[in-house]
Amino acid sequence: GAGVSQSPSNKVTEKGKDVELRCDPISGHTALYWYRQRLGQGLEFLIYFQGNSAPDKSGLPSDRFSAERTGESVSTLTIQRTQQEDSAVYLCASSPRQGGYEQYFGPGTRLTVT
Amino acid sequence: RKEVEQDPGPFNVPEGATVAFNCTYSNSASQSFFWYRQDCRKEPKLLMSVYSSGNEDGRFTAQLNRASQYISLLIRDSKLSDSATYLCVVNMNNNDMRFGAGTRLTVKP
């Protein structure tokens, strides 16, 4: 079946511009995560959605970062006034159930801020 | 102490070798554990879950030691295609999944 998809696959933007990244989870997966991975580093948790519950935003690094998800469908991660340190791969993962089950990752969006 | 710690490596082993990685975690209440594999410039992919009794999948064996708070991954008869970064993932509390920084493995001919 279809896996997690993300768009765009690559995004180059100028410092100070806003960007919007999209994630389409696996159909029926209730949980959705966003991570950031800088070059050569591990995954950094950003935000978690579970169904219609309030999201866990504890990993968002600043108020320039926000994310939305409607129900159990598409999610968008928005970065406002991008900075060079925002350059990274942004990975989305979905999971079939709440509470620490296996995650399935999308291919990521490679963001470069010039 | 970091929540999830792994030896970054790199581990360089010849084909056919057996190699083992450990991963320690700080939260004794952690309930679920996983190993993921990440190839260069690709997304992580689930390799295997780690069960309390230990589990095996072909050449791969995962173990959990709750008393010492670590999980391990053993790869037997290494193949060139096993070259990747192996990520340890620990469910700290309900939805809180923490990734280790990964252990890099290179299998050489």
PDB file of all heavy atoms in Angstrom, chain B residues 8 14 21 27 41 43-44 52 57-58 66 72 83 94 105 109:
ATOM      1  N   PRO B   8      28.487   6.092  18.657  1.00  0.00           N
ATOM      2  CA  PRO B   8      28.312   6.544  17.266  1.00  0.00           C
ATOM      3  C   PRO B   8      29.103   5.727  16.251  1.00  0.00           C
ATOM      4  O   PRO B   8      28.818   5.772  15.052  1.00  0.00           O
ATOM      5  CB  PRO B   8      28.803   7.989  17.298  1.00  0.00           C
ATOM      6  CG  PRO B   8      29.714   8.053  18.465  1.00  0.00           C
ATOM      7  CD  PRO B   8      29.192   7.077  19.475  1.00  0.00           C
ATOM      8  N   PRO B  14      34.530  -6.786   8.507  1.00  0.00           N
ATOM      9  CA  PRO B  14      34.574  -7.507   7.228  1.00  0.00           C
ATOM     10  C   PRO B  14      33.286  -8.277   7.010  1.00  0.00           C
ATOM     11  O   PRO B  14      32.562  -8.616   7.964  1.00  0.00           O
ATOM     12  CB  PRO B  14      35.759  -8.464   7.419  1.00  0.00           C
ATOM     13  CG  PRO B  14      35.823  -8.686   8.888  1.00  0.00           C
ATOM     14  CD  PRO B  14      35.346  -7.423   9.544  1.00  0.00           C
ATOM     15  N   PHE B  21      25.631  -3.958  18.689  1.00  0.00           N
ATOM     16  CA  PHE B  21      25.500  -2.582  19.154  1.00  0.00           C
ATOM     17  C   PHE B  21      24.654  -2.560  20.422  1.00  0.00           C
ATOM     18  O   PHE B  21      23.699  -3.313  20.526  1.00  0.00           O
ATOM     19  CB  PHE B  21      24.758  -1.706  18.118  1.00  0.00           C
ATOM     20  CG  PHE B  21      25.237  -1.837  16.721  1.00  0.00           C
ATOM     21  CD1 PHE B  21      24.333  -2.022  15.684  1.00  0.00           C
ATOM     22  CD2 PHE B  21      26.581  -1.750  16.421  1.00  0.00           C
ATOM     23  CE1 PHE B  21      24.758  -2.129  14.379  1.00  0.00           C
ATOM     24  CE2 PHE B  21      27.013  -1.858  15.111  1.00  0.00           C
ATOM     25  CZ  PHE B  21      26.099  -2.049  14.081  1.00  0.00           C
ATOM     26  N   ASN B  27      15.085   6.223  31.125  1.00  0.00           N
ATOM     27  CA  ASN B  27      13.783   6.121  31.783  1.00  0.00           C
ATOM     28  C   ASN B  27      13.434   4.660  32.058  1.00  0.00           C
ATOM     29  O   ASN B  27      13.100   3.907  31.141  1.00  0.00           O
ATOM     30  CB  ASN B  27      12.714   6.772  30.910  1.00  0.00           C
ATOM     31  CG  ASN B  27      11.352   6.809  31.582  1.00  0.00           C
ATOM     32  OD1 ASN B  27      11.141   6.187  32.627  1.00  0.00           O
ATOM     33  ND2 ASN B  27      10.418   7.530  30.995  1.00  0.00           N
ATOM     34  N   ARG B  41      21.262   9.555   3.465  1.00  0.00           N
ATOM     35  CA  ARG B  41      20.326  10.477   2.800  1.00  0.00           C
ATOM     36  C   ARG B  41      18.958   9.834   2.529  1.00  0.00           C
ATOM     37  O   ARG B  41      18.260  10.216   1.599  1.00  0.00           O
ATOM     38  CB  ARG B  41      20.939  11.010   1.505  1.00  0.00           C
ATOM     39  CG  ARG B  41      22.213  11.802   1.748  1.00  0.00           C
ATOM     40  CD  ARG B  41      22.848  12.241   0.442  1.00  0.00           C
ATOM     41  NE  ARG B  41      22.204  13.411  -0.123  1.00  0.00           N
ATOM     42  CZ  ARG B  41      22.500  14.654   0.193  1.00  0.00           C
ATOM     43  NH1 ARG B  41      23.408  14.907   1.110  1.00  0.00           N
ATOM     44  NH2 ARG B  41      21.888  15.670  -0.384  1.00  0.00           N
ATOM     45  N   GLU B  43      15.289   8.031   4.606  1.00  0.00           N
ATOM     46  CA  GLU B  43      14.539   8.058   5.849  1.00  0.00           C
ATOM     47  C   GLU B  43      14.802   6.799   6.662  1.00  0.00           C
ATOM     48  O   GLU B  43      15.156   5.752   6.121  1.00  0.00           O
ATOM     49  CB  GLU B  43      13.037   8.197   5.563  1.00  0.00           C
ATOM     50  CG  GLU B  43      12.363   6.952   5.015  1.00  0.00           C
ATOM     51  CD  GLU B  43      12.429   6.852   3.504  1.00  0.00           C
ATOM     52  OE1 GLU B  43      13.319   7.489   2.878  1.00  0.00           O
ATOM     53  OE2 GLU B  43      11.593   6.132   2.937  1.00  0.00           O
ATOM     54  N   PRO B  44      14.610   6.867   7.988  1.00  0.00           N
ATOM     55  CA  PRO B  44      14.743   5.655   8.809  1.00  0.00           C
ATOM     56  C   PRO B  44      13.670   4.638   8.448  1.00  0.00           C
ATOM     57  O   PRO B  44      12.534   5.002   8.131  1.00  0.00           O
ATOM     58  CB  PRO B  44      14.521   6.178  10.236  1.00  0.00           C
ATOM     59  CG  PRO B  44      14.748   7.644  10.164  1.00  0.00           C
ATOM     60  CD  PRO B  44      14.324   8.060   8.799  1.00  0.00           C
ATOM     61  N   SER B  52      10.552  -8.156  25.267  1.00  0.00           N
ATOM     62  CA  SER B  52      11.165  -8.438  26.571  1.00  0.00           C
ATOM     63  C   SER B  52      11.942  -9.748  26.586  1.00  0.00           C
ATOM     64  O   SER B  52      12.995  -9.850  27.215  1.00  0.00           O
ATOM     65  CB  SER B  52      10.084  -8.510  27.656  1.00  0.00           C
ATOM     66  OG  SER B  52       9.455  -7.271  27.787  1.00  0.00           O
ATOM     67  N   ASP B  57      15.251 -12.164  13.937  1.00  0.00           N
ATOM     68  CA  ASP B  57      14.684 -12.086  12.588  1.00  0.00           C
ATOM     69  C   ASP B  57      15.826 -12.359  11.624  1.00  0.00           C
ATOM     70  O   ASP B  57      16.620 -11.463  11.333  1.00  0.00           O
ATOM     71  CB  ASP B  57      14.072 -10.704  12.348  1.00  0.00           C
ATOM     72  CG  ASP B  57      13.425 -10.592  10.976  1.00  0.00           C
ATOM     73  OD1 ASP B  57      13.414 -11.583  10.227  1.00  0.00           O
ATOM     74  OD2 ASP B  57      12.911  -9.501  10.650  1.00  0.00           O
ATOM     75  N   GLY B  58      15.940 -13.598  11.207  1.00  0.00           N
ATOM     76  CA  GLY B  58      17.034 -13.965  10.320  1.00  0.00           C
ATOM     77  C   GLY B  58      18.376 -13.783  11.003  1.00  0.00           C
ATOM     78  O   GLY B  58      18.636 -14.343  12.069  1.00  0.00           O
ATOM     79  N   ARG B  66      16.257  -4.975  31.005  1.00  0.00           N
ATOM     80  CA  ARG B  66      15.586  -3.912  31.781  1.00  0.00           C
ATOM     81  C   ARG B  66      16.383  -3.528  33.022  1.00  0.00           C
ATOM     82  O   ARG B  66      16.410  -2.361  33.413  1.00  0.00           O
ATOM     83  CB  ARG B  66      14.185  -4.372  32.198  1.00  0.00           C
ATOM     84  CG  ARG B  66      13.187  -4.358  31.068  1.00  0.00           C
ATOM     85  CD  ARG B  66      11.769  -4.457  31.608  1.00  0.00           C
ATOM     86  NE  ARG B  66      10.794  -4.566  30.542  1.00  0.00           N
ATOM     87  CZ  ARG B  66      10.275  -3.517  29.927  1.00  0.00           C
ATOM     88  NH1 ARG B  66      10.640  -2.290  30.255  1.00  0.00           N
ATOM     89  NH2 ARG B  66       9.378  -3.679  28.964  1.00  0.00           N
ATOM     90  N   SER B  72      20.091  -4.245  22.808  1.00  0.00           N
ATOM     91  CA  SER B  72      21.206  -4.584  21.932  1.00  0.00           C
ATOM     92  C   SER B  72      20.684  -5.106  20.601  1.00  0.00           C
ATOM     93  O   SER B  72      19.550  -5.572  20.490  1.00  0.00           O
ATOM     94  CB  SER B  72      22.107  -5.624  22.596  1.00  0.00           C
ATOM     95  OG  SER B  72      21.391  -6.820  22.796  1.00  0.00           O
ATOM     96  N   SER B  83      25.528  -2.227   5.622  1.00  0.00           N
ATOM     97  CA  SER B  83      26.147  -0.928   5.891  1.00  0.00           C
ATOM     98  C   SER B  83      25.074   0.143   5.962  1.00  0.00           C
ATOM     99  O   SER B  83      24.318   0.341   5.006  1.00  0.00           O
ATOM    100  CB  SER B  83      27.166  -0.581   4.803  1.00  0.00           C
ATOM    101  OG  SER B  83      28.211  -1.519   4.779  1.00  0.00           O
ATOM    102  N   ASN B  94       4.301   6.899  26.865  1.00  0.00           N
ATOM    103  CA  ASN B  94       3.153   6.983  25.959  1.00  0.00           C
ATOM    104  C   ASN B  94       3.580   7.353  24.540  1.00  0.00           C
ATOM    105  O   ASN B  94       4.055   6.515  23.804  1.00  0.00           O
ATOM    106  CB  ASN B  94       2.120   7.950  26.509  1.00  0.00           C
ATOM    107  CG  ASN B  94       0.738   7.668  25.923  1.00  0.00           C
ATOM    108  OD1 ASN B  94       0.492   6.582  25.417  1.00  0.00           O
ATOM    109  ND2 ASN B  94      -0.148   8.642  25.982  1.00  0.00           N
ATOM    110  N   LEU B 105      27.566   1.663  10.782  1.00  0.00           N
ATOM    111  CA  LEU B 105      28.212   0.384  10.461  1.00  0.00           C
ATOM    112  C   LEU B 105      28.648   0.386   9.009  1.00  0.00           C
ATOM    113  O   LEU B 105      27.853   0.733   8.131  1.00  0.00           O
ATOM    114  CB  LEU B 105      27.246  -0.782  10.695  1.00  0.00           C
ATOM    115  CG  LEU B 105      27.720  -2.158  10.189  1.00  0.00           C
ATOM    116  CD1 LEU B 105      28.917  -2.649  10.993  1.00  0.00           C
ATOM    117  CD2 LEU B 105      26.579  -3.181  10.250  1.00  0.00           C
ATOM    118  N   PRO B 109      34.313  -5.597   2.035  1.00  0.00           N
ATOM    119  CA  PRO B 109      34.540  -6.899   1.376  1.00  0.00           C
ATOM    120  C   PRO B 109      35.815  -7.548   1.886  1.00  0.00           C
ATOM    121  O   PRO B 109      36.727  -6.892   2.365  1.00  0.00           O
ATOM    122  CB  PRO B 109      34.670  -6.558  -0.100  1.00  0.00           C
ATOM    123  CG  PRO B 109      34.523  -5.096  -0.235  1.00  0.00           C
ATOM    124  CD  PRO B 109      34.368  -4.466   1.113  1.00  0.00           C
TER     125      PRO B 109
END
